[in-house]
Amino acid sequence: MAVADVFAALREDRPYRPNMEKSRVAQVMRGMVKDSALDGAIVDLLFDQYGAAEEAVTAACSKWRPRGKNARSEGPAESAGYTR
């Protein structure tokens, strides 16, 4: 679960930073493996299946992003006072 959580957190846009590219995500997560914060076998599996994982994150994120002509111009982070 931790690997999926870290992966999603790094790939998603955040109010305080844009999403990270694949190479940066791999670098950060491999560093976490070296620090024993993540299981290396699971991280390896994730990057072996990166395309499918990225599609899943994109699909999950799209559920929360406003779409269409009636979409609000700001999301929950902006309405809470955060800026992009």
Side-chain angles (χ1 to χ4, degrees):
M1 187 68 133
V3 171
D5 188 42
V6 169
F7 174 77
L10 296 175
R11 286 297 294 149
E12 294 171 357
D13 285 332
R14 297 295 171 133
Y16 50 87
R17 64 151 178 81
N19 67 53
M20 292 184 186
E21 296 294 325
K22 178 182 177 181
S23 60
R24 180 68 179 133
V25 171
Q27 181 182 25
V28 169
M29 293 183 77
R30 300 264 185 236
M32 293 178 77
V33 168
K34 287 181 183 176
D35 293 340
S36 300
L38 296 176
D39 184 323
I42 303 298
V43 171
D44 288 342
L45 180 63
L46 170 68
F47 285 102
D48 288 345
Q49 300 296 317
Y50 190 90
E54 188 169 37
E55 287 177 21
V57 168
T58 300
C61 290
S62 69
K63 292 179 183 178
W64 301 104
R65 291 196 180 125
R67 300 275 186 217
K69 65 180 183 180
N70 294 327
R72 297 179 313 163
S73 62
E74 63 179 34
E78 289 83 9
S79 63
Y82 294 99
T83 58
R84 291 183 186 214

